[in-house]
């Protein structure tokens, strides 16, 4: 969280691409940054920002072709540009850059819409993907990939996972009115 917040607030490239395997905590990290902003972050450049998540699947839903997608996407980018205080979060950005039909024309279309906004530094983006889809969709477009600071997320160790689950279990116990035992957490980790 601290590394990404630092990159968002003081970098020449104010955009971050988080790379990690499914379940490694990419989305949780972004939620942690959003929580820190709400509580009052030490990073002044992002203290007045809002993180807005764009659901790629909803953006793609009903789009018949790349033109439909481009129209929707441009409208969102113009609204964000006009607000001046939004950090966009694209979870699983590979779904968006794969486009409507998954062909390379849709990929270049998304890049061509995003690139001018990101290169100005007026709009900030946090995106997340895994290593395989990064190599397939983003890395081949070097100009687009260079707009991002890359942050690799390693899977948590067994001990870290146990601590995370212990922390989460308190809320689950309260909400679901159940008891989660320490041996159950150990078994889940195993």
């Amino acid at each position: 969280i601290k590394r990404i917040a630092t990159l968002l607030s003081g970098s020449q490239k104010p955009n971050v691409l988080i790379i990690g395997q499914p379940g490694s905590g990419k989305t949780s990290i972004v939620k942690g940054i959003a929580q820190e902003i709400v509580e009052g972050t030490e990073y002044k450049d992002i203290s007045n920002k809002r993180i807005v998540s764009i659901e790629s699947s909803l953006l793609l839903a009903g789009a018949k072709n790349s033109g439909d997608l481009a129209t929707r996407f441009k409208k969102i980018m113009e609204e964000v540009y006009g607000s001046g205080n939004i950090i966009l979060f694209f979870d699983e950005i590979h779904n968006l850059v794969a486009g409507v039909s998954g062909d390379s024309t849709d990929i270049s279309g998304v890049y061509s819409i995003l690139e001018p906004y990101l290169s100005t530094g007026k709009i900030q983006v946090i995106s997340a993907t895994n290593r395989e889809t990064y190599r397939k969709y983003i890395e081949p477009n070097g100009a687009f990939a260079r707009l991002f600071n890359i942050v690799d997320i390693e899977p948590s160790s067994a001990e870290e996972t146990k601590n995370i689950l212990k922390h989460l279990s308190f809320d689950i116990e309260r909400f679901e009115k159940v008891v989660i035992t320490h041996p159950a957490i150990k078994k889940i980790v195993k």
Side-chain angles (χ1 to χ4, degrees):
I1 290 173
K2 287 181 180 180
R3 181 170 177 214
I4 292 171
T6 300
L7 291 170
L8 289 171
S9 63
S11 175
Q12 296 292 344
K13 294 187 284 186
N15 306 301
V16 176
L17 177 61
I18 304 169
I19 300 176
Q21 292 308 319
S24 62
K26 299 180 296 288
T27 305
S28 296
I29 289 169
V30 175
K31 288 179 181 178
I33 293 168
Q35 184 66 36
E36 209 174 279
I37 291 171
V38 168
E39 292 173 356
T41 182
E42 63 189 81
Y43 303 98
K44 299 298 179 217
D45 290 343
I46 61 171
S47 63
N48 66 338
K49 303 261 180 162
R50 295 180 298 145
I51 296 178
V52 176
S53 179
I54 301 293
E55 295 293 328
S56 301
S57 58
L58 294 177
L59 189 61
L60 293 170
K64 294 176 181 68
N65 56 45
S66 59
D68 287 350
L69 177 62
T71 301
R72 291 177 185 181
F73 204 61
K74 284 179 185 176
K75 185 176 180 183
I76 290 169
M77 297 309 288
E78 286 300 320
E79 287 183 29
V80 170
Y81 185 78
S83 77
N85 71 339
I86 293 176
I87 298 172
L88 286 178
F89 173 52
F90 294 104
D91 196 4
E92 299 183 2
I93 194 170
H94 53 271
N95 290 338
L96 183 61
V97 297
V100 177
S101 62
D103 69 20
S104 61
T105 58
D106 286 343
I107 293 169
S108 64
V110 170
Y111 288 150
S112 65
I113 295 167
L114 261 178
E115 199 166 0
Y117 291 102
L118 298 184
S119 62
T120 65
K122 301 279 187 202
I123 291 179
Q124 287 184 278
V125 169
I126 303 171
S127 53
T129 191
N130 60 54
R131 177 66 55 195
E132 181 181 314
T133 54
Y134 170 75
R135 286 189 179 127
K136 183 175 181 180
Y137 295 113
I138 298 168
E139 193 174 45
N141 188 324
F144 185 75
R146 283 190 294 275
L147 294 171
F148 291 92
N149 287 294
I150 306 294
V151 176
D152 282 306
I153 304 297
E154 297 298 322
S156 57
S157 68
E159 189 62 31
E160 290 169 328
T161 303
K162 187 172 75 173
N163 290 333
I164 292 167
L165 291 175
K166 274 199 280 188
H167 178 73
L168 292 173
S169 69
F170 297 123
D171 290 335
I172 294 169
E173 286 177 331
R174 190 177 27 200
F175 183 75
E176 299 290 340
K177 296 180 179 35
V178 296
V179 174
I180 301 173
T181 64
H182 191 69
I185 291 174
K186 281 183 173 179
K187 185 151 184 136
I188 289 168
V189 171
K190 188 176 179 184

